[in-house]
Each structure stands twice: as C-alpha cells, then as structure tokens.
Amino acid sequence: MSTDLAALEQRAREELAFCADEAALRSWNGKFFGKQGEIAIALKDVGKLPADQRRAFGQDANRVKETLTQAFETALAQSKEQALEQSLAAEKIDVTLPGRPVRRGRLHVATRIMREITAIFAELGFQTYRSREVENDLTNFELLNMPPHHPARDMWDTFYTTIPGAILRTHTSPGQIHVMRELCPEPIRVILPGMCYRYEQITPRSEIQFQQVEGLAIGEHITMADLKGTITAFARRLFGQERQVRFRSSYFPFTEPSIEVDIDWPADDPNADRLTKGTGWLEIMGAGMVHPVVLRNGGYDPDKHSGFAFGLGPQRITMLKYAIDDIRQFWANDLRFLQQF
Ligand code: PHE
C-alpha cells in the first residue's frame, strides 16, 4: 500500500493552519519536510508501486511538495510580518532605528578670548582676581577720584537700580579698590576680568553689557616703562610679534598720566582701512599710572608706592581678530554665529 498523497496534503494543510507562530511553523516544516519527515517517508513508497504507476505518483508527489512549500513560505512571511507589527505596537523603543548624533558643544568665542588673555597675563606674572558686578557709587566712582557731580562721570552711562546707591559696574576699575584694600600693603599684580554694564543705545558698535579686563600692578619703583613694557609684550603675544604699539596721552580721573594704546594694523589686511578708519592704528585699551588719590583710597602711601592700571575690552579685540562687524552677536546666542569659532 502506498501513501495516500491527497490525505497527506490535506492533513499537512490543516496542521499548517494551526501554527500560531514562527516556532510552530518551523516544527511543522521539520515534521513534513525534514530528512525523516512524512514527505520523505512517503516518497520511499514509490518503490512499492507497480512500475506503470510510479511516474504518476512521482509527479503527484512533486506537486504536493511544491504547493506545501509555497503554503509554508507564505505562512512564514505572514507570521514574521505579524510579529514585527506586534512588537512595534507593544514596544516604544525601537533599538534598530539609527541613533541621533550627539552634537558636540564648544567654548563661546568670548570665553576663548578671555582664556587667551588671562593665559598671556599669567605668563607675565599677573594673577586673576574676581570682583563683584554690583557696586555702589563709592567704589564705582568716588574712590576712583570722581566725586559726585564730577563731569567725568558722563563718560560712563550708568544703570542705577531701585536699591539706593546700588549700581551695575560701568567698568572693572572698582575692582582696583577691592584688591588694594584686601592686599595692602603687599605688592599687587592682578588682572580683573568680568562683565560691565552701561545704559547705552544698542548698536552694532555698542552693547549694554560687555566684558573688560582690568590690570593693576602696585609696588615700589613701578614706572611708566613697566606699563609700556607689559602692554607691548601683551599686544605682541595676542596680535603677533611684529605688531607696533603706540601710546597716546589721554585722560582718566583715576590715572595720572593717562594714555590710550593703539596697535598698527597690517596694511595688507583687506579690512585695514575700515577698521582703522584710514589711520593704520587701532585703539585697544586705556591705561595709566594709578592716581595718588586712588592709591591712598586703596590704603597705599603714594610717596612710597606707585603702580599702573589698564582696562581693555575683549569683545573689541575679538572683533578685530575675527573681523566681526556687529558686537550684538556676542550675546545673541545665534548658533550660526557661534559655530564659526
Ligand atoms: N576704566 C576705564 C574705562 O572703562 C579704562 C581704564 C582702566 C583706563 C584702567 C585707565 C586705567 O574706560
């Protein structure tokens, strides 16, 4: 008796319909198509048949094999699809999706320049000293040799607050008083970097907040030559060894004599004319010898001690270095600007 192929096919189809998942399908496949599977066994029966029936049986068997294989593959594909749909619906995280790249941050260009400046002054022996941003009339003006109603106060447009006497510092110079009073009678060599505030109209050239770096050196026998040497060394390290430095006389109430410092700008720079307004020179800071009144206010004896001070604006210097034409970019936090540095 040979196998009833039609019955085998029927049974295989029925069992296939009951396979609920991929594992069941695979075991169905083993049961019927494995080496010892029912199809293999059925095919062996061909030898028991009379010779004239073998051909028909063989053809029949091949057809059954083919249709069952097809049915199995369709069922397998459907089951895989179903499993994926189920897992997508059930699980919130699909670990097979490509990840989102993490964007690397970087230092703000103002921070970078500030670090460059403090590093240069550190090499010249200046410690960095932090000083408060909220001052009062006494420290921002009076102790810096600007009594009330002194016209020089007009040089600084001041933010007053609702607390009487409390103002936002208009420059880093009040830090001079704090350092002197803390360290007197020791010699001093510090820089005081930090934010300043002025009640100004905001334009491409002026902002209501900006950074300054104040410098202060106090000791015995400190002269204008020390000031010039220090500033020249600083300017050449920041802008290049070939820079020329020019000192112009100027006026600040808290220094005497007072100067303003320019550097020459390379004439081959296409921006040179615009930056220097055709003069070839660029102002980078105000400076001078500490006024005797200020020395005394800090606790030092002007007959014994002397010193120099300077104040520079890092934003201005950064604008020069990178040809930035709008100071408002510094605190606008526009990534298109920040990513350039
Ligand atoms: N404080 C001055 C300013 O804001 C700069 C300055 C500092 C000048 C120290 C002389 C000495 O303009």
Side-chain angles (χ1 to χ4, degrees):
M1 238 328 266
S2 73
T3 309
D4 180 348
L5 281 175
L8 176 61
E9 182 182 355
Q10 165 111 24
R11 196 157 43 73
R13 278 189 183 283
E14 275 164 16
E15 286 185 30
L16 187 66
F18 273 102
C19 291
D21 56 18
E22 196 182 328
L25 283 169
R26 296 221 178 268
S27 92
W28 176 95
N29 193 43
K31 181 174 175 194
F32 289 98
F33 281 94
K35 265 194 194 145
Q36 304 296 321
E38 294 197 28
I39 306 250
I41 292 169
L43 284 176
K44 280 189 199 137
D45 287 351
V46 75
K48 296 182 196 158
L49 287 172
D52 60 338
Q53 289 177 23
R54 285 182 195 165
R55 199 179 140 84
F57 181 87
Q59 280 176 346
D60 219 16
N62 277 340
R63 188 193 50 77
V64 169
K65 256 168 80 175
E66 229 166 80
T67 53
L68 285 181
T69 306
Q70 236 171 46
F72 168 74
E73 263 155 24
T74 313
L76 189 66
Q78 266 173 6
S79 151
K80 280 186 177 170
E81 181 99 342
Q82 226 174 28
L84 179 66
E85 262 166 36
Q86 263 170 14
S87 85
L88 282 178
E91 294 161 27
K92 294 265 182 287
I93 297 173
D94 180 357
V95 293
T96 65
L97 280 176
R100 296 186 191 96
V102 178
R103 284 217 231 157
R104 285 188 74 191
R106 69 188 83 193
L107 290 179
H108 192 289
V109 62
T111 308
R112 279 201 18 221
I113 288 281
M114 207 52 135
R115 289 192 181 182
E116 245 178 87
I117 292 172
T118 49
I120 292 171
F121 280 114
E123 285 179 6
L124 298 175
F126 285 76
Q127 283 182 297
T128 299
Y129 191 101
R130 280 188 179 271
S131 186
R132 51 197 297 173
E133 291 179 17
V134 179
E135 292 284 357
N136 55 37
D137 196 86
L138 194 68
T139 44
N140 197 80
F141 294 117
E142 275 177 61
L143 294 173
L144 290 170
N145 201 27
M146 278 177 277
H149 314 300
H150 192 291
R153 289 182 178 210
D154 291 350
M155 290 159 71
W156 295 273
D157 301 287
T158 312
F159 273 118
Y160 291 89
T161 69
T162 48
I163 302 166
I167 60 175
L168 298 181
R169 66 174 174 190
T170 56
H171 52 173
T172 42
S173 298
Q176 291 186 28
I177 298 292
H178 295 302
V179 182
M180 283 194 275
R181 291 191 165 178
E182 191 179 313
L183 299 182
C184 176
E186 298 297 319
I188 296 173
R189 217 190 290 173
V190 295
I191 54 167
L192 301 123
M195 201 64 84
C196 304
Y197 305 87
R198 287 186 200 172
Y199 182 60
E200 289 194 49
Q201 194 181 359
I202 299 174
T203 71
R205 294 179 57 88
S206 62
E207 252 282 16
I208 58 171
Q209 73 171 78
F210 54 92
Q211 291 171 312
Q212 276 195 343
V213 178
E214 190 87 5
L216 180 69
I218 306 279
E220 289 176 27
H221 315 298
I222 291 187
T223 69
M224 192 87 174
D226 299 308
L227 171 61
K228 287 175 153 181
T230 304
I231 288 175
T232 306
F234 164 74
R236 291 195 174 150
R237 278 182 211 209
L238 193 64
F239 290 105
Q241 284 304 319
E242 65 290 351
R243 288 280 70 73
Q244 301 278 324
V245 182
R246 180 172 83 165
F247 301 93
R248 279 180 291 116
S249 60
S250 182
Y251 169 76
F252 297 103
F254 32 88
T255 45
E256 181 60 35
S258 300
I259 57 171
E260 268 166 310
V261 183
D262 302 331
I263 56 169
D264 71 330
W265 200 249
D268 54 355
D269 181 333
N271 295 313
D273 234 37
R274 179 177 60 81
L275 289 172
T276 68
K277 296 187 193 118
T279 65
W281 295 94
L282 254 171
E283 184 193 323
I284 58 165
M285 67 171 92
M289 301 306 291
V290 180
H291 196 287
V293 168
V294 177
L295 277 174
R296 217 173 282 122
N297 288 341
Y300 289 84
D301 177 1
D303 290 331
K304 209 171 143 210
H305 291 102
S306 57
F308 65 76
F310 56 84
L312 60 94
Q315 264 76 77
R316 208 178 130 66
I317 285 176
T318 312
M319 290 170 81
L320 299 177
K321 241 185 129 148
Y322 296 114
I324 299 165
D325 57 9
D326 193 331
I327 198 168
R328 294 172 296 187
Q329 293 284 10
F330 280 97
W331 320 121
N333 278 344
D334 187 332
L335 283 178
R336 290 169 300 179
F337 171 75
L338 297 174
Q339 280 170 341
Q340 294 176 60
F341 306 99

